[in-house]
Amino acid sequence: MILNSPMIALNMKAYRESSGENGLRLAKICEEVFEESGVCMVICPQQTDLSLICREVNMPCFSQHVDPIDAGSQTGWVSAGAIKDSGADGSLINHSEHKIRISEINILIDKLRSFGLCSLVCTNNEAVSKAVAELKPDAIAIEPPLLIGSGISVSTAEPEIISNTVDAVRRIDKGIKVLCGAGISNGKDVKSSIELGADGVLLASGIVKAKDPKEVLLDLISGI
Ligand code: G3P
C-alpha cells in the first residue's frame, strides 16, 4: 500500500498559493523532500492541477474529492475512473470543507478500491470515525473542524480526540491508518500526534501559506 506509517499528507486545498504554476512549484518541493528523506508523503493537488502534477512529480498524489458517479453522461462531476486516469493514487473523501453522506462514503471507498485507488476519509469526531471505520477505508483523518486553519494544533488543543479515535478505529480494524489534522504546523505537532498513536498528519495552511515550504516540511519530518 502507498500509505505507510509514519506519514505526512498535504492537502493543497483551494489556495491561490497552491493553484496552477504555484501548485506545481509546491508539488516539486514536496517531491524533493520526499526523495531526500524517504518519509512517506502524499500530496493532494487542486482538481484542475491533478493530472499535470501526477505526470510531473514522482510521489504519491491524491485527489481532494471524488464524486459517487459512474463515467458517462454526467456534467461537472469527477468519477473514480477519471481520478485513476489522471494518474493519481487515491482520494480524500468527506473533508470538512466538502462533506458527503455516509452512504456516499461507502460507495466511494468501494469504487476507489475497484480502480486500485486508496481512500483517505476525513472525519470530525470519534463517533463518525467509528462509523467510517466499519466501511473499511485505507485511512481515516480525524480533524476537529473548528481548529482547521486556526494555527492551533489538534495535538495541543484536543489530544484526547486523537488517542480516542486511534483506539476506536484500531478496535474495529487494525489495518486502517489513522491520521490527524487541523492546525498542524511543525515537528513538535507531528511528534506529539505520533506519540498519541496517530500514523501521521494531514495538513494544509502550515505548508501552503509558508514563506519557505521546504523549511516547514523538513521541520515536520524532524518530528517523525
Ligand atoms: O485537510 C487538512 C486540513 O483541513 C487542516 O488544515 O490548514 O489547519 O492544516 P490546516
Side-chain angles (χ1 to χ4, degrees), residues 11 13 15 95 143 147-150 181-184 202-206:
N11 178 2
K13 297 201 174 179
Y15 292 110
H95 192 279
E143 298 196 323
L147 294 175
I148 292 178
S150 68
I184 301 282
L202 172 64
L203 79 160
S205 52

